Amino acid sequence: MWEGEYTYRCILTNDYTSTCQEIVELYNLRGGKERIFDDMSGGFGWARLPKSFMAENTVFLLLTALIRNFYKFLMGRLDTKAFGLKKTSRIKAFAFKFFASKAA
């Protein structure tokens, strides 16, 4: 029953107004958002928040999200190949290349 050319999955939801197609499309958009959270955890310190208080952590999260958007904008505008990077390079690679070129 479970072997063959198809992969069966189910999505549990309480959305009674959307069609099946709309629910699947919305669920599939989640993958892109998960990649953003992975990038923010690995490159921008979201894995360990710096403060104990929610208000201070909220400011940290908002500022790092703005910095990520600015970084993505810069990577889209710069000639990254001349710098030894790709358009999809994470900020850690950018910082390493930037500081390594300044030290030399």
Side-chain angles (χ1 to χ4, degrees):
M1 176 177 170
W2 302 109
E3 296 179 15
E5 62 184 273
Y6 296 105
T7 302
Y8 295 95
R9 293 188 172 96
C10 69
I11 300 172
L12 189 62
T13 181
N14 61 355
D15 184 359
Y16 299 109
T17 58
S18 300
T19 66
C20 291
Q21 182 70 27
E22 292 171 340
I23 291 171
V24 169
E25 288 172 359
L26 181 67
Y27 183 79
N28 287 340
L29 291 174
R30 226 182 106 211
K33 305 303 180 222
E34 292 289 335
R35 281 191 291 277
I36 292 172
F37 279 111
D38 179 50
D39 185 32
M40 296 303 289
S41 293
F44 292 89
W46 278 24
R48 296 173 194 230
L49 296 175
K51 300 291 180 180
S52 300
F53 301 106
M54 181 65 117
E56 294 167 344
N57 285 332
T58 302
V59 171
F60 172 77
L61 294 172
L62 288 171
L63 285 176
T64 52
L66 285 171
I67 291 168
R68 180 191 177 271
N69 289 339
F70 182 67
Y71 170 72
K72 291 295 182 183
F73 172 77
L74 281 179
M75 293 302 281
R77 297 281 183 163
L78 292 177
D79 181 21
T80 53
K81 291 189 185 227
F83 204 55
L85 296 170
K86 300 176 188 172
K87 296 247 185 236
T88 58
S89 294
R90 291 190 171 203
I91 196 162
K92 285 184 179 182
F94 176 81
F96 179 76
K97 291 279 186 177
F98 181 76
F99 290 119
S101 68
K102 294 293 182 190

